[in-house]
Amino acid sequence: ASPPEQTLEWNDAGVEGAHRFLKRVWGFAAKNAEVLKAAGKNFAALSADGKALRREVHLVLKQVSYDYERMQYNTVVSGAMKLLNALEAFKDVGAQAAAVREGVSVLLRVIYPACPHIAHTLWQELGFAAELGDLLDTAWPSVDEGALVQDEIELMLQVNGKLRGSVKVPAGADKAAIEAAALAHE
């Protein structure tokens, strides 16, 4: 609820919120258990949405790893919630199961220091223990810099300081190509 060095008055609503979050983690894992158990690691076959999910997972992992080093546990929890939101919002779980499995694996390792029992149980139930070993002995996930690379970027178009639209351009586009795309926009 706050950084560790700050005081905070106890509030039952915080416990209720944590309980709801853990129920969502459990529910997502239970709902997708069979798909996650059977998923492989073929990231090459991911669709654009699957790549976007992987990018979000690794962006959150990068933030959470940094926050753990700084002992900012409230933002670690926020990162875990962002990760669960991204996983729940992803609709193509079956076809893109490799990205979802990786996301769940990261999520369980992120929440493990705060919620060891639920994380350990889900780790076992979803088959991660057979593949990676016991959660206690599993290495902290590393950020895949390749997953952070974007093929396209979206740029906002402003005229006299007012937002007038946006345009998507290839990530490696030069200034002339960006200007041409902006001028071609309505």
Side-chain angles (χ1 to χ4, degrees), residues 61-133:
L61 174 59
K62 190 173 191 176
Q63 176 232 322
V64 165
S65 296
Y66 179 71
D67 291 340
Y68 261 126
E69 290 172 8
R70 292 183 10 229
M71 292 190 286
Q72 296 295 313
Y73 302 119
N74 59 316
T75 53
V76 168
V77 171
S78 170
M81 290 178 176
K82 283 182 197 175
L83 186 51
L84 181 60
N85 288 341
L87 290 167
E88 286 179 332
F90 191 69
K91 300 299 179 204
D92 197 12
V93 174
Q96 307 296 307
V100 177
R101 180 174 170 80
E102 179 184 40
V104 172
S105 167
V106 169
L107 175 63
L108 293 177
R109 287 184 264 185
V110 165
I111 68 170
Y112 181 66
C115 310
H117 299 94
I118 191 170
H120 183 267
T121 301
L122 289 174
W123 187 263
Q124 298 287 335
E125 294 292 322
L126 297 175
F128 291 113
E131 178 186 341
L132 301 169

Side-chain angles (χ1 to χ4, degrees), residues 40-57:
K41 292 184 179 182
N42 186 7
F43 300 125
L46 292 178
S47 68
D49 288 340
K51 289 178 183 177
L53 175 64
R54 252 193 113 220
R55 182 173 187 278
E56 180 68 21
V57 165

